[in-house]
């Protein structure tokens, strides 16, 4: 599904996507197009893109092709989703301890829509950290 989402091919395009969008949240999936977890996440992102088009725009970045942001955003996971609003990184408290990004594939489309909507509403109010509508702290309980 990643071929249906706009790819950003270099660091300049990523910067332009983040800085040029004024009234919508920029959702960027960092990862590899061939990775199964990224494929799952891309499928969910593509399926919600049309429903979220009024308040979010979604991009895909291959971290092998564009390694510029790997250290800056600590992109060590196979699949990472980050949110930006008006050139500012919006953190989201998911209950996992890592507030910078989502680093696992979400299966539920409605959960993704809710997260994007929550980020948009919080970012419009000037918040740099928003609280997720669902707590994911028990997701990886052993």
């Amino acid at each position: 599904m990643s071929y249906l989402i706009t790819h950003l091919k270099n660091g300049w395009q990523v910067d332009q996507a983040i800085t040029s969008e004024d009234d919508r949240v920029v959702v960027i999936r960092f990862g590899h197009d061939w990775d199964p977890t990224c494929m799952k996440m891309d499928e969910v992102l593509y399926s919600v893109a049309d429903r979220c088009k009024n308040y979010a725009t979604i991009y895909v970045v291959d971290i092998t092709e564009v390694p510029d942001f790997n250290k800056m955003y600590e992109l060590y996971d196979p699949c990472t989703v980050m949110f930006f609003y008006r050139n500012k990184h919006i953190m989201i408290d998911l209950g996992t301890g890592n507030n910078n990004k989502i680093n696992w594939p979400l299966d539920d489309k409605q959960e993704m829509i809710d997260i994007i909507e929550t980020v948009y509403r919080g970012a419009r109010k000037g918040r740099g950290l928003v609280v997720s509508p669902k707590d994911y702290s028990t997701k990886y309980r052993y």
Side-chain angles (χ1 to χ4, degrees):
M1 282 296 181
S2 71
Y3 60 90
L4 297 171
I5 304 173
T6 306
H7 273 68
L8 303 175
K9 301 282 185 192
N10 55 44
W12 184 82
Q13 287 181 342
V14 175
D15 277 339
Q16 287 303 304
I18 293 170
T19 58
S20 65
E21 192 61 64
D22 285 335
D23 16 321
R24 294 189 292 178
V25 172
V26 177
V27 181
I28 301 180
R29 192 273 294 152
F30 293 97
H32 303 284
D33 294 340
W34 48 263
D35 192 275
T37 57
C38 285
M39 288 180 193
K40 261 190 207 173
M41 188 57 115
D42 289 347
E43 190 174 328
V44 171
L45 288 172
Y46 175 71
S47 64
V48 304
D50 195 45
R51 291 180 60 190
C52 299
K53 68 182 177 195
N54 293 333
Y55 52 89
T57 181
I58 299 172
Y59 297 105
V60 173
V61 176
D62 191 321
I63 58 174
T64 312
E65 208 174 296
V66 187
D68 308 359
F69 302 96
N70 293 357
K71 277 193 176 157
M72 185 190 317
Y73 295 137
E74 299 173 358
L75 304 173
Y76 308 123
D77 302 304
C79 181
T80 302
V81 176
M82 297 182 78
F83 304 95
F84 301 90
Y85 185 75
R86 293 188 180 162
N87 196 18
K88 184 179 175 191
H89 174 227
I90 304 298
M91 295 187 290
I92 180 164
D93 182 7
L94 300 155
T96 59
N98 184 356
N99 294 341
N100 294 325
K101 55 197 169 223
I102 298 174
N103 53 5
W104 68 89
L106 285 172
D107 306 1
D108 191 6
K109 297 171 188 169
Q110 189 58 47
E111 279 181 30
M112 186 51 121
I113 291 170
D114 292 344
I115 289 173
I116 293 172
E117 195 173 328
T118 303
V119 168
Y120 175 69
R121 287 182 182 175
R124 270 193 37 217
K125 292 177 184 173
R127 296 194 175 112
L129 173 68
V130 296
V131 179
S132 167
K134 182 180 174 189
D135 186 14
Y136 293 92
S137 61
T138 59
K139 183 166 180 57
Y140 296 112
R141 187 169 280 180
Y142 298 102

